[in-house]
Amino acid sequence: MLFTAYSCGNKSGDKTGDKTSGSEKREFGWRDDISASDIPDFPVKGSIGGKEVQFAYINFENWRGSKDNVINFSLAKPEQNCGFIENFEGFTLMNKGAGFSQGPWLKAKFADDPKTYQSSFRLSGSKSADPWNCALEIESIGDKTVKGKIALFFNDASKSWVAGRFEAVLCNN
């Protein structure tokens, strides 16, 4: 009887427990550790402070002087591409003094040393200082856009995150 009750909970078409190519698919959600295979294949979205957010603008800043590279996932769009966003709200991932390379990059656990990488999020004037983990894959860097996918999780009280496929405006500053 217990078996019958358990199996009735799996509706036809529910693929949560299905095996694909020898690996078990996990439903997407916040994680305290991450791997490249955990990056979801849906359009980028996120959650800050327990509230789902949609991004109006994503840019990839290549700073020539400092050599910093920054990916910004912004809740607001500037007046023009690569323009300043006053009172920025959203997520930022930076490689300080170095570029992002095409291919995968991983900071699997909150305690892992990110070396030159930094990440934060801002909402309503407050900035996070919480530990984070990240799986990033830059798929292409063109003349005007950068395409990739990300799964970035913060160890804050509301378990903030950004994840999915993105296309960012390339800004050479």
Side-chain angles (χ1 to χ4, degrees), residues 22-40:
S23 65
E24 189 173 323
K25 279 188 170 184
R26 293 196 296 181
E27 187 175 314
F28 178 77
W30 184 92
R31 298 206 171 90
D32 60 3
D33 65 350
I34 187 85
S35 70
S37 64
D38 292 326
I39 302 173

Side-chain angles (χ1 to χ4, degrees), residues 80-145:
Q80 61 186 18
N81 279 343
C82 301
F84 178 72
I85 300 174
E86 195 167 334
N87 301 318
F88 173 84
E89 291 185 319
F91 294 90
T92 298
L93 178 64
M94 176 193 307
N95 191 2
K96 190 129 180 83
F100 288 105
S101 302
Q102 196 165 325
W105 179 80
L106 183 65
K107 180 183 181 290
K109 300 198 178 292
F110 295 127
D112 289 351
D113 181 3
K115 300 193 181 359
T116 58
Y117 288 82
Q118 301 172 4
S119 191
S120 63
F121 64 85
R122 290 179 186 254
L123 185 65
S124 303
S126 63
K127 182 177 177 182
S128 73
D130 300 293
W132 54 278
N133 63 22
C134 181
L136 173 70
E137 184 172 345
I138 301 294
E139 296 169 333
S140 67
I141 301 175
D143 292 337
K144 297 182 180 184
T145 61

